[in-house]
Each structure stands twice: as structure tokens, then as C-alpha cells.
DNA sequence: GCCAACGTTGGC
DNA sequence: GCCAACGTTGGC
């Protein structure tokens, strides 16, 4: 099932990297990204998260997670720019990428579901709850997408 | 709303 | 360079 998913993605090759990005829906929601069609993923002020942003390439795939009240993965997005300097930063050395939605997940995958899944016990969502931009292995990415398929 | 986790800052 | 204080994030 996850394989079938990947076949319909616009960019599907082995060099694609996978990440999870978080946002509180009150601050910036998946729905807003769908409406806007594209956004600049700015405001990251954590070095580890920034370094992940800097490693991103065009075509990399992002799971979009709602933190705070929702606590679920709700969408699939992709990186559509190289990393570049965050124009909202008044001091310091921060980076952004531009992001576009690919599609909403059929069923949102809750943090509860993710925590109950043994194969996902090492994900940043479980182990690094405060890290807002984190890499996923292909297996983790595929597993979360598989959990989003209605049975 | 609380608080644990944890990253950052600044005094020494 | 250590570490206490502080601020922020995000789960509960």
C-alpha cells in the first residue's frame, strides 16, 4: 500500500529524504497550507531543526504534524526550494525552505497511534517531542502513511 | 493549566 | 568550561 502511494508522488526516487515538520494549527495549519498552495517554512529558531532544514533538497517529502491540541499527522507536503536565509530573522543565522502540499492524509495519524506502533518507537515524534523539524527513515515514513490508509 | 523536558544564556 | 537560572515547547 505504501508502495502504491509512492508511485503517485510527483518526485519518486531513491535520493528523496523524508522529514516530519510540526506546527501548532493555531499558528499555521495544514488547512492554511492547502489554501495558500505554498508557504515559506520560517521562524525555526532551534539549531538542530535549522540544520535539518539546511539538509533539505527540492522534492524531499514532509509529513505535516499538528502539535498542541490536535497531535496528529495530517498531510503530506514537499520541499520546493533550496534552503535559504530566513527573512524573518532579525539576528542570528537561520534558514527556511519553501513547502507545497501534496495531499491530505485520508485518515490523520494520531500521536497515540504512533506511540502504540512498535516500529515507530524511535521516531522523533516519540523520542524528541520538542524538535520541530526532524528526519524520518523511509520505513518510518512509509509506516505512517500506511497507518493513514482507511482499512 | 500544569509541568517535564530540554535548549539557551550568562555568571563565575 | 561548568552549571544554575530561565524560557519555550508540547504532551497530558
Amino acid at each position: 500500500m505504501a508502495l502504491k502511494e509512492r508511485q503517485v508522488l510527483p518526485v519518486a526516487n531513491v535520493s528523496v529524504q523524508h522529514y516530519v515538520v510540526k506546527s501548532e494549527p493555531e499558528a499555521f495549519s495544514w488547512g492554511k497550507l492547502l489554501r495558500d498552495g505554498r508557504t515559506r517554512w520560517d521562524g525555526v529558531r532551534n539549531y538542530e531543526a535549522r540544520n535539518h532544514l539546511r539538509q533539505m533538497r527540492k522534492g524531499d517529502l514532509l509529513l505535516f504534524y499538528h502539535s498542541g491540541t490536535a497531535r496528529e499527522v495530517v498531510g503530506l507536503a514537499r520541499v520546493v526550494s533550496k534552503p535559504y536565509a530566513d527573512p524573518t530573522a532579525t539576528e542570528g543565522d537561520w534558514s527556511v525552505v519553501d513547502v507545497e502540499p501534496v495531499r491530505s492524509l485520508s485518515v490523520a495519524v494520531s500521536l497515540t497511534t504512533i506511540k502504540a506502533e512498535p516500529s515507530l518507537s524511535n521516531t522523533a515524534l516519540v523520542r524528541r517531542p520538542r524538535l520541530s523539524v526532524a528526519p524520518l527513515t523511509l520505513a518510518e515514513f512509509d509506516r505512517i502513511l500506511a497507518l493513514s490508509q482507511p482499512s
Side-chain angles (χ1 to χ4, degrees), chain A residues 11-23:
Chain A
V11 176
N13 66 64
V14 291
S15 71
V16 169
Q17 307 173 110
H18 304 84
Y19 297 87
V20 57
V21 296
K22 300 191 195 180
S23 180

Side-chain angles (χ1 to χ4, degrees), chain A residues 133-148:
Chain A
V133 180
L136 296 171
T137 67
L138 176 58
E140 291 166 344
F141 175 85
D142 279 348
R143 187 75 197 114
I144 293 170
L145 279 188
L147 290 168
S148 76

Side-chain angles (χ1 to χ4, degrees), chain A residues 27-65:
Chain A
F28 183 83
S29 69
W30 172 248
K32 177 137 174 53
L33 179 57
L34 285 176
R35 287 193 296 280
D36 294 353
R38 179 172 176 133
T39 197
R40 186 180 64 213
W41 203 261
D42 59 25
V44 170
R45 296 293 182 271
N46 169 281
Y47 292 114
E48 191 174 356
R50 179 204 69 181
N51 292 342
H52 292 313
L53 286 175
R54 288 183 174 175
Q55 297 203 337
M56 289 182 182
R57 302 185 290 246
K58 279 190 189 182
D60 283 354
L61 294 172
L62 310 175
L63 291 177
F64 193 115
Y65 175 83

